[in-house]
Each structure stands twice: as structure tokens, then as C-alpha cells.
Amino acid sequence: MELNQLVFYLFAGVAVASSVMMITRRNPVYSAMYLVVSLFSIAAIFVLLNAHFLAALQVVVYAGAILVLFLFVIMLLNLGHDFEPDVRGRFWWFFGLGLGLVLLAELVTLLGNLRGPAEVDLLTPLFQARGAVAALAESLFLNYVVAVEVTGILLLVAMVGAVVIAKRRV
Amino acid sequence: MLPESLVLSAILFAIGVVGVLVRRNAIVMFMCIELMLNAVNISFVAISRFVGIEGQLFVIFVMTVAAAEAAVGLAIIISIFRHYGSVDVRNFRLLRW
């Protein structure tokens, strides 16, 4: 087995295990911490899949910004101390696990048999020619510049909305 | 490494779905939604090797939408906590039949 594949399986195992821990811990702070572990392993998998810039973005945006926001809200609402046990009863576990297994079987039969042509690799020559960031940025700011603008407006709207909704009295 | 990545993405997505179904804490449900978004991102990155750089560009947009969604969603959770004193989804039954 190649080293690449070994590292992939290692991080995939860590991601799956910490995700399972995330949905089974009763304390929301522990859940958030396991989510951080899961997101970091996903960043490592991005590196293995030839997406170095996205791996950095994953660490900065998810582990750095979104998770801090989650932890801040958990601490603000004081849910880390006097949390109520919130895991549903046995019926919901059977229902959820059954539904999850059915979904997993569907997705695996759909996706697991998908084989790309093994010799095709469009990214490596592009990254070698332009660099990992410039290749992304060129396509983003030349071909998809309207989408970037729309996403900027979306962020502005979300920011205003978050402030207005969380305000005590408008 | 394409089939392995897609299967990993499917497993993480299913774990996220199970988490949304079995938890009642709105914040933990939110974290499970973030996990599902990440699972889809793995698929995009894995496929981008065969379809070109667009797969990775889409991941950037998904991350932006996820950040916006987290900010608005957590604001809603704070506002609900002020109203009910808890983030248990059993309390949110104004629009429920």
C-alpha cells in the first residue's frame, strides 16, 4: 500500500470516529471539540486530494471562525454547564440509525462504483504551471466574478440579518 | 483515490443525518448540518481532479454559504434562547401541527 493511501485511511478513520463521538456526546462543548477534530482531518484529506489552498481555507474558516462562533454561543448560553440531556429515546435511535444506514447504502452503491479514468489528472499540471493559489484565483476572478459578487452580497445580508435577529430590541 | 473519498463523504453525510435525527439540542443539530456540508465538499474536491478546477471553486462558495448560515442560525438560536430559556427543539412548536 502506498503511503498516500495509508495516510488517507488514517485521517478518514479519525474523521469518522470523531463524527460518531460528536453525535453521541451529551455535552455540547465536547461535541464542538470533536467537530474540530473531524474538520481538521477533512482538511488533511483535502491536502491528499490535491487541494492545498482549500485545506488552508478549511482550517481558517471552519476551525478558526465557525467553530469559535459555535463555542462562543455555547458559552454565552451557558450550555456547557447545565445542559439538559438532549439525546432522544430508543425509538429515535432505531429510526435514525435505520434511516442513516439506508441512506448510506444508497450513497455507497451510487458513488462507490463511480470510477474516473485513472490516468486523468487535470489539476496537477495546472497547479505546477500556475501555483495552487493563482490557478484557483484566476478562474474565480475571471470566469466566475459574478458569483463572487453575489456571494459578497449574501455575506452582507447575512451579517445584517444576524445583527438584527440577535438584537434584544430592534 | 476517488471511490474511497466518495465513500468517506457518504459515511460522513449519513452520520450528519443521524445526528440531526437523534439530537434535540439545536446547536448540536447545527453542527451536524456543518458536517454534512463538509461531506459534500469532500465529494467536490475528489471529483475536481477529473472535471477541472471548478470543483474546488464550488467548495469556496459552499464554505461562504456555510459561514453565512452559521451566523444567521446561531443568531436565531440566541433569540430563541431569550424567549424560551432553552435550545431544546421540543419548545419550538409555534409552526408545528
Coordinates of all heavy atoms in Angstrom, one line a residue, chain A residues 54-127:
Chain A
L54 N -7.6 24.9 -0.4 CA -8.9 24.6 0.3 C -8.6 24.1 1.7 O -9.4 24.3 2.6 CB -9.7 23.7 -0.5 CG -10.3 24.3 -1.7 CD1 -11.2 23.2 -2.4 CD2 -11.2 25.5 -1.4
A55 N -7.5 23.3 1.8 CA -7.2 22.8 3.2 C -6.9 23.9 4.1 O -7.4 23.9 5.3 CB -6.0 21.8 3.1
A56 N -6.1 24.9 3.6 CA -5.8 26.1 4.5 C -7.1 26.8 4.8 O -7.3 27.2 6.0 CB -4.8 27.0 3.8
L57 N -7.9 27.0 3.8 CA -9.2 27.7 4.0 C -10.1 26.9 5.0 O -10.8 27.5 5.8 CB -9.9 27.7 2.6 CG -10.7 29.0 2.3 CD1 -9.8 30.2 2.4 CD2 -11.2 28.9 0.9
Q58 N -10.1 25.6 4.9 CA -10.9 24.8 5.8 C -10.5 25.0 7.2 O -11.3 25.2 8.1 CB -10.7 23.3 5.4 CG -11.3 22.3 6.4 CD -12.7 21.9 6.1 OE1 -13.2 22.4 5.1 NE2 -13.2 21.0 6.8
V59 N -9.1 25.1 7.5 CA -8.7 25.3 8.8 C -9.0 26.7 9.3 O -9.5 26.9 10.4 CB -7.1 25.0 8.9 CG1 -6.6 25.5 10.3 CG2 -6.8 23.6 8.7
V60 N -8.8 27.7 8.4 CA -9.0 29.1 8.9 C -10.5 29.3 9.0 O -10.9 29.9 10.1 CB -8.4 30.0 7.8 CG1 -8.8 31.4 8.1 CG2 -6.9 29.9 7.8
V61 N -11.3 29.0 8.0 CA -12.8 29.3 8.1 C -13.5 28.5 9.1 O -14.2 29.0 9.9 CB -13.4 29.3 6.7 CG1 -14.9 29.5 6.8 CG2 -12.8 30.3 5.8
Y62 N -13.4 27.1 8.9 CA -14.2 26.3 9.8 C -13.6 26.2 11.2 O -14.3 26.5 12.2 CB -14.2 24.9 9.2 CG -15.4 24.7 8.3 CD1 -15.3 24.6 6.9 CD2 -16.7 24.6 8.8 CE1 -16.4 24.5 6.1 CE2 -17.8 24.5 8.0 CZ -17.6 24.4 6.6 OH -18.7 24.3 5.8
A63 N -12.4 25.7 11.3 CA -11.9 25.5 12.7 C -11.6 26.9 13.3 O -11.7 27.0 14.6 CB -10.6 24.7 12.6
G64 N -11.3 27.9 12.5 CA -11.0 29.2 13.1 C -12.1 30.1 13.4 O -12.2 30.8 14.4
A65 N -13.1 30.1 12.4 CA -14.2 31.1 12.6 C -15.5 30.5 13.0 O -16.1 30.9 14.0 CB -14.4 31.8 11.2
I66 N -15.9 29.4 12.3 CA -17.3 28.9 12.6 C -17.3 28.2 13.9 O -18.2 28.4 14.7 CB -17.7 28.0 11.4 CG1 -17.9 28.8 10.1 CG2 -19.0 27.3 11.7 CD1 -18.3 28.0 8.9
L67 N -16.2 27.4 14.2 CA -16.2 26.7 15.4 C -16.1 27.6 16.6 O -16.7 27.4 17.7 CB -15.1 25.6 15.4 CG -15.6 24.2 15.2 CD1 -16.5 23.8 16.4 CD2 -16.3 24.1 13.9
V68 N -15.3 28.7 16.5 CA -15.2 29.7 17.5 C -16.6 30.3 17.8 O -17.0 30.5 18.9 CB -14.2 30.7 17.2 CG1 -14.3 31.9 18.2 CG2 -12.8 30.1 17.3
L69 N -17.4 30.5 16.7 CA -18.7 31.1 16.8 C -19.6 30.1 17.6 O -20.3 30.5 18.5 CB -19.3 31.3 15.4 CG -20.5 32.2 15.3 CD1 -20.1 33.6 15.8 CD2 -20.9 32.3 13.8
F70 N -19.5 28.8 17.2 CA -20.3 27.8 17.9 C -19.9 27.8 19.4 O -20.8 27.8 20.3 CB -20.0 26.4 17.3 CG -20.9 26.1 16.2 CD1 -20.5 26.1 14.9 CD2 -22.2 25.7 16.4 CE1 -21.3 25.8 13.9 CE2 -23.1 25.4 15.4 CZ -22.6 25.4 14.1
L71 N -18.6 27.7 19.7 CA -18.2 27.7 21.1 C -18.6 28.9 21.9 O -19.1 28.9 23.0 CB -16.7 27.5 21.2 CG -16.2 26.0 21.1 CD1 -14.7 26.0 21.1 CD2 -16.8 25.2 22.1
F72 N -18.5 30.1 21.2 CA -18.9 31.3 21.8 C -20.4 31.3 22.2 O -20.8 31.7 23.3 CB -18.6 32.5 20.9 CG -19.1 33.8 21.4 CD1 -18.5 34.4 22.4 CD2 -20.2 34.4 20.8 CE1 -18.9 35.6 22.9 CE2 -20.7 35.6 21.3 CZ -20.0 36.2 22.3
V73 N -21.3 30.8 21.3 CA -22.7 30.7 21.6 C -23.0 29.7 22.7 O -23.8 30.0 23.6 CB -23.5 30.4 20.3 CG1 -24.9 30.1 20.6 CG2 -23.4 31.5 19.3
I74 N -22.3 28.6 22.7 CA -22.5 27.6 23.7 C -22.1 28.2 25.1 O -22.8 28.1 26.1 CB -21.7 26.3 23.5 CG1 -22.2 25.6 22.3 CG2 -21.7 25.4 24.7 CD1 -21.3 24.5 21.8
M75 N -21.0 28.9 25.1 CA -20.6 29.5 26.4 C -21.5 30.7 26.8 O -21.8 30.9 28.0 CB -19.1 30.1 26.3 CG -18.1 29.1 25.9 SD -17.7 28.0 27.2 CE -16.5 26.9 26.3
L76 N -22.0 31.5 25.8 CA -22.8 32.6 26.1 C -24.1 32.1 26.7 O -24.7 32.7 27.6 CB -23.1 33.3 24.8 CG -24.0 34.6 24.8 CD1 -23.3 35.7 25.5 CD2 -24.5 35.0 23.5
L77 N -24.7 31.0 26.1 CA -25.9 30.5 26.6 C -25.7 29.6 27.8 O -26.7 29.0 28.4 CB -26.7 29.7 25.5 CG -26.9 30.5 24.3 CD1 -27.7 29.7 23.3 CD2 -27.7 31.8 24.6
N78 N -24.5 29.4 28.3 CA -24.1 28.6 29.4 C -24.6 27.1 29.3 O -25.1 26.5 30.2 CB -24.7 29.2 30.7 CG -23.9 28.7 31.9 OD1 -22.9 28.1 31.8 ND2 -24.5 29.0 33.1
L79 N -24.5 26.6 28.1 CA -24.9 25.2 27.8 C -23.9 24.2 28.2 O -24.1 23.0 28.2 CB -25.3 25.1 26.3 CG -26.4 25.9 25.9 CD1 -26.6 25.8 24.4 CD2 -27.7 25.5 26.6
G80 N -22.6 24.6 28.4 CA -21.6 23.7 28.8 C -21.7 23.2 30.2 O -21.3 22.1 30.5
H81 N -22.4 23.9 31.1 CA -22.5 23.5 32.5 C -23.8 22.8 32.7 O -23.9 21.6 33.0 CB -22.4 24.8 33.4 CG -21.0 25.1 33.7 ND1 -20.2 24.2 34.4 CD2 -20.3 26.2 33.5 CE1 -19.0 24.8 34.6 NE2 -19.0 26.0 34.0
D82 N -24.9 23.6 32.6 CA -26.2 22.9 33.0 C -27.0 22.6 31.7 O -28.0 23.1 31.5 CB -27.0 23.9 33.9 CG -27.0 25.3 33.4 OD1 -26.2 25.6 32.4 OD2 -27.7 26.2 34.0
F83 N -26.3 21.7 30.9 CA -27.0 21.3 29.7 C -28.1 20.2 30.1 O -27.8 19.5 31.0 CB -26.0 20.7 28.7 CG -25.2 19.6 29.2 CD1 -25.5 18.3 29.0 CD2 -24.0 19.9 29.9 CE1 -24.7 17.3 29.5 CE2 -23.2 18.9 30.4 CZ -23.6 17.6 30.2
E84 N -29.2 20.2 29.3 CA -30.1 19.1 29.5 C -29.7 17.9 28.7 O -29.2 18.1 27.6 CB -31.5 19.6 29.1 CG -31.9 20.9 29.6 CD -33.0 21.6 28.8 OE1 -33.8 20.9 28.1 OE2 -33.0 22.8 28.7
P85 N -29.9 16.7 29.2 CA -29.7 15.6 28.3 C -30.6 15.7 27.1 O -31.8 15.7 27.3 CB -30.0 14.4 29.2 CG -30.8 14.9 30.3 CD -30.4 16.3 30.5
D86 N -30.0 15.7 25.9 CA -30.9 16.0 24.8 C -30.9 14.9 23.7 O -31.5 15.1 22.7 CB -30.4 17.3 24.1 CG -29.1 17.1 23.4 OD1 -28.1 16.8 24.1 OD2 -29.0 17.2 22.2
V87 N -30.2 13.8 24.0 CA -30.2 12.7 23.0 C -31.6 12.0 23.1 O -32.1 11.7 24.2 CB -29.1 11.7 23.3 CG1 -29.1 10.6 22.3 CG2 -27.8 12.4 23.3
R88 N -32.3 11.8 22.0 CA -33.6 11.3 22.0 C -33.6 9.8 22.5 O -32.6 9.2 22.6 CB -34.2 11.4 20.6 CG -34.5 12.8 20.2 CD -35.3 12.7 18.9 NE -35.1 13.9 18.1 CZ -36.1 14.8 17.9 NH1 -37.3 14.6 18.5 NH2 -35.9 15.9 17.2
G89 N -34.8 9.3 22.6 CA -35.0 7.9 23.2 C -34.7 6.8 22.2 O -34.1 7.1 21.1
R90 N -35.0 5.6 22.6 CA -34.6 4.5 21.8 C -35.2 4.4 20.5 O -34.6 4.0 19.5 CB -34.9 3.2 22.6 CG -34.2 2.0 22.0 CD -34.3 0.8 23.0 NE -33.5 1.0 24.2 CZ -33.8 0.4 25.3 NH1 -34.8 -0.4 25.4 NH2 -33.1 0.6 26.4
F91 N -36.5 4.8 20.4 CA -37.2 4.7 19.1 C -36.5 5.6 18.1 O -36.3 5.2 17.0 CB -38.7 5.2 19.3 CG -39.4 5.5 18.0 CD1 -39.8 4.5 17.2 CD2 -39.6 6.8 17.6 CE1 -40.4 4.8 16.0 CE2 -40.2 7.1 16.4 CZ -40.6 6.1 15.6
W92 N -36.1 6.8 18.5 CA -35.5 7.7 17.6 C -34.1 7.2 17.2 O -33.7 7.4 16.1 CB -35.4 9.1 18.2 CG -36.6 9.9 18.0 CD1 -37.6 10.0 18.9 CD2 -37.0 10.6 16.8 NE1 -38.6 10.8 18.4 CE2 -38.3 11.1 17.1 CE3 -36.4 10.8 15.6 CZ2 -39.0 11.9 16.2 CZ3 -37.1 11.6 14.7 CH2 -38.4 12.1 15.0
W93 N -33.4 6.5 18.1 CA -32.1 5.9 17.7 C -32.3 4.9 16.6 O -31.6 4.9 15.6 CB -31.4 5.3 18.9 CG -30.5 6.3 19.6 CD1 -30.7 6.9 20.8 CD2 -29.3 6.7 19.1 NE1 -29.7 7.7 21.0 CE2 -28.8 7.7 20.0 CE3 -28.5 6.5 17.9 CZ2 -27.6 8.3 19.8 CZ3 -27.3 7.2 17.7 CH2 -26.9 8.0 18.7
F94 N -33.3 4.0 16.8 CA -33.6 2.9 15.8 C -33.9 3.6 14.5 O -33.4 3.3 13.4 CB -34.7 2.0 16.3 CG -34.2 0.9 17.2 CD1 -34.8 0.7 18.4 CD2 -33.1 0.2 16.9 CE1 -34.3 -0.2 19.3 CE2 -32.6 -0.8 17.7 CZ -33.3 -1.0 18.9
F95 N -34.9 4.6 14.6 CA -35.4 5.2 13.4 C -34.2 5.9 12.7 O -34.0 5.8 11.5 CB -36.4 6.2 13.8 CG -37.0 7.1 12.7 CD1 -37.7 6.4 11.6 CD2 -36.8 8.4 12.6 CE1 -38.1 7.2 10.6 CE2 -37.3 9.2 11.6 CZ -37.9 8.6 10.6
G96 N -33.4 6.7 13.5 CA -32.3 7.5 12.9 C -31.2 6.6 12.3 O -30.8 6.8 11.2
L97 N -30.9 5.5 13.1 CA -29.8 4.6 12.6 C -30.3 3.9 11.3 O -29.6 3.7 10.3 CB -29.4 3.6 13.6 CG -28.4 4.1 14.6 CD1 -28.1 3.0 15.6 CD2 -27.1 4.6 13.9
G98 N -31.6 3.4 11.3 CA -32.1 2.7 10.2 C -32.1 3.6 9.0 O -31.6 3.2 7.9
L99 N -32.6 4.9 9.2 CA -32.6 5.8 8.0 C -31.2 6.1 7.6 O -31.0 6.2 6.4 CB -33.4 7.1 8.5 CG -34.1 7.8 7.4 CD1 -35.2 6.9 6.8 CD2 -34.7 9.1 8.0
G100 N -30.3 6.3 8.5 CA -28.9 6.6 8.2 C -28.3 5.5 7.4 O -27.6 5.7 6.4
L101 N -28.6 4.2 7.8 CA -28.0 3.1 7.1 C -28.6 2.9 5.7 O -27.8 2.6 4.7 CB -28.2 1.8 7.9 CG -27.3 1.6 9.1 CD1 -27.7 0.3 9.9 CD2 -25.9 1.6 8.7
V102 N -29.9 3.2 5.6 CA -30.5 3.1 4.2 C -29.8 4.2 3.3 O -29.4 3.9 2.2 CB -32.0 3.3 4.3 CG1 -32.6 3.5 2.9 CG2 -32.6 2.1 5.0
L103 N -29.7 5.4 3.9 CA -29.1 6.5 3.1 C -27.7 6.1 2.7 O -27.2 6.4 1.6 CB -29.1 7.8 3.9 CG -28.5 9.0 3.2 CD1 -29.4 9.4 2.1 CD2 -28.3 10.1 4.2
L104 N -26.9 5.6 3.7 CA -25.5 5.2 3.4 C -25.4 4.2 2.3 O -24.6 4.3 1.4 CB -24.9 4.7 4.7 CG -23.4 4.3 4.7 CD1 -22.6 5.6 4.4 CD2 -23.0 3.7 6.0
A105 N -26.3 3.1 2.4 CA -26.3 2.1 1.4 C -26.6 2.7 0.0 O -25.9 2.4 -1.0 CB -27.3 1.0 1.7
E106 N -27.6 3.6 0.0 CA -27.9 4.2 -1.3 C -26.7 5.0 -1.9 O -26.3 4.8 -3.0 CB -29.0 5.2 -1.1 CG -30.4 4.6 -1.2 CD -31.5 5.6 -0.9 OE1 -31.1 6.8 -0.8 OE2 -32.6 5.2 -0.8
L107 N -26.1 5.8 -1.0 CA -25.0 6.7 -1.5 C -23.8 5.8 -1.9 O -23.1 6.1 -2.9 CB -24.6 7.6 -0.4 CG -25.6 8.8 -0.1 CD1 -25.1 9.6 1.1 CD2 -25.6 9.7 -1.3
V108 N -23.5 4.7 -1.1 CA -22.3 3.9 -1.4 C -22.5 3.2 -2.7 O -21.6 3.1 -3.6 CB -22.0 3.0 -0.2 CG1 -21.0 1.9 -0.7 CG2 -21.5 3.8 0.9
T109 N -23.8 2.6 -2.9 CA -24.0 2.0 -4.2 C -23.9 3.0 -5.4 O -23.5 2.7 -6.5 CB -25.3 1.3 -4.2 OG1 -26.3 2.2 -3.7 CG2 -25.3 0.0 -3.5
L110 N -24.4 4.2 -5.1 CA -24.4 5.2 -6.2 C -22.9 5.7 -6.4 O -22.5 5.8 -7.6 CB -25.3 6.4 -5.8 CG -25.6 7.3 -6.9 CD1 -26.6 6.6 -7.8 CD2 -26.3 8.5 -6.3
L111 N -22.2 6.0 -5.4 CA -20.9 6.7 -5.5 C -19.8 5.7 -5.6 O -18.8 6.0 -6.2 CB -20.7 7.7 -4.4 CG -21.7 8.8 -4.2 CD1 -21.4 9.6 -3.0 CD2 -21.7 9.7 -5.5
G112 N -19.9 4.6 -4.8 CA -18.7 3.7 -4.7 C -18.3 3.1 -6.0 O -17.2 2.7 -6.2
N113 N -19.3 3.0 -6.9 CA -19.0 2.3 -8.2 C -18.5 3.3 -9.2 O -18.2 3.0 -10.4 CB -20.2 1.6 -8.7 CG -20.5 0.5 -7.9 OD1 -19.7 -0.2 -7.3 ND2 -21.8 0.2 -7.7
L114 N -18.5 4.6 -8.8 CA -18.1 5.7 -9.8 C -16.6 5.6 -9.9 O -15.8 5.7 -9.0 CB -18.5 7.0 -9.2 CG -18.7 8.2 -10.2 CD1 -19.8 7.9 -11.2 CD2 -19.0 9.4 -9.4
R115 N -16.1 5.4 -11.2 CA -14.7 5.3 -11.4 C -14.4 6.4 -12.4 O -14.9 6.4 -13.5 CB -14.3 4.0 -11.9 CG -14.5 2.8 -11.0 CD -13.2 2.6 -10.1 NE -13.3 1.4 -9.4 CZ -14.1 1.3 -8.3 NH1 -14.8 2.3 -7.9 NH2 -14.1 0.2 -7.6
G116 N -13.5 7.3 -12.1 CA -13.0 8.2 -13.1 C -11.9 7.5 -13.9 O -11.4 6.5 -13.5
P117 N -11.6 8.0 -15.1 CA -10.4 7.4 -15.8 C -9.2 7.7 -15.0 O -8.9 8.8 -14.6 CB -10.4 8.2 -17.1 CG -11.3 9.4 -16.9 CD -12.3 9.0 -15.8
A118 N -8.5 6.6 -14.6 CA -7.5 6.7 -13.6 C -6.3 7.6 -14.0 O -5.6 8.2 -13.2 CB -6.9 5.3 -13.2
E119 N -6.0 7.7 -15.3 CA -4.8 8.4 -15.7 C -5.1 9.9 -15.8 O -4.2 10.7 -16.0 CB -4.3 7.8 -17.0 CG -5.1 8.1 -18.2 CD -6.3 7.1 -18.3 OE1 -6.5 6.3 -17.4 OE2 -6.9 7.0 -19.4
V120 N -6.4 10.3 -15.8 CA -6.7 11.7 -16.0 C -6.4 12.4 -14.7 O -6.8 12.0 -13.6 CB -8.2 11.9 -16.4 CG1 -8.6 13.3 -16.3 CG2 -8.5 11.3 -17.7
D121 N -5.6 13.5 -14.8 CA -5.4 14.3 -13.6 C -5.2 15.8 -14.2 O -4.2 16.1 -14.7 CB -4.1 13.9 -12.9 CG -4.0 14.7 -11.6 OD1 -4.8 15.6 -11.4 OD2 -3.0 14.3 -10.8
L122 N -6.4 16.5 -14.1 CA -6.4 17.8 -14.7 C -5.7 18.9 -13.8 O -5.3 19.9 -14.3 CB -7.8 18.3 -15.0 CG -8.5 17.5 -16.0 CD1 -10.0 17.9 -16.1 CD2 -7.9 17.7 -17.4
L123 N -5.6 18.5 -12.5 CA -5.2 19.6 -11.5 C -3.7 19.7 -11.4 O -3.2 20.8 -11.4 CB -5.8 19.3 -10.2 CG -7.3 19.4 -10.1 CD1 -7.7 19.1 -8.7 CD2 -7.7 20.8 -10.5
T124 N -3.0 18.6 -11.4 CA -1.5 18.6 -11.1 C -0.8 19.5 -12.2 O 0.0 20.3 -11.8 CB -1.0 17.2 -11.0 OG1 -1.8 16.5 -10.1 CG2 0.5 17.2 -10.5
P125 N -1.0 19.3 -13.5 CA -0.3 20.1 -14.4 C -0.7 21.6 -14.3 O 0.2 22.5 -14.4 CB -0.7 19.6 -15.8 CG -1.8 18.6 -15.6 CD -1.8 18.3 -14.1
L126 N -2.0 21.9 -14.0 CA -2.4 23.3 -13.8 C -1.7 23.9 -12.6 O -1.2 25.0 -12.6 CB -3.9 23.3 -13.6 CG -4.6 24.6 -13.5 CD1 -4.5 25.3 -14.9 CD2 -6.1 24.4 -13.2
F127 N -1.6 23.2 -11.5 CA -1.0 23.7 -10.3 C 0.5 23.9 -10.5 O 1.1 24.8 -9.9 CB -1.3 22.8 -9.1 CG -2.7 22.9 -8.5 CD1 -3.2 21.9 -7.7 CD2 -3.5 24.0 -8.8 CE1 -4.5 22.0 -7.2 CE2 -4.7 24.1 -8.4 CZ -5.2 23.1 -7.5

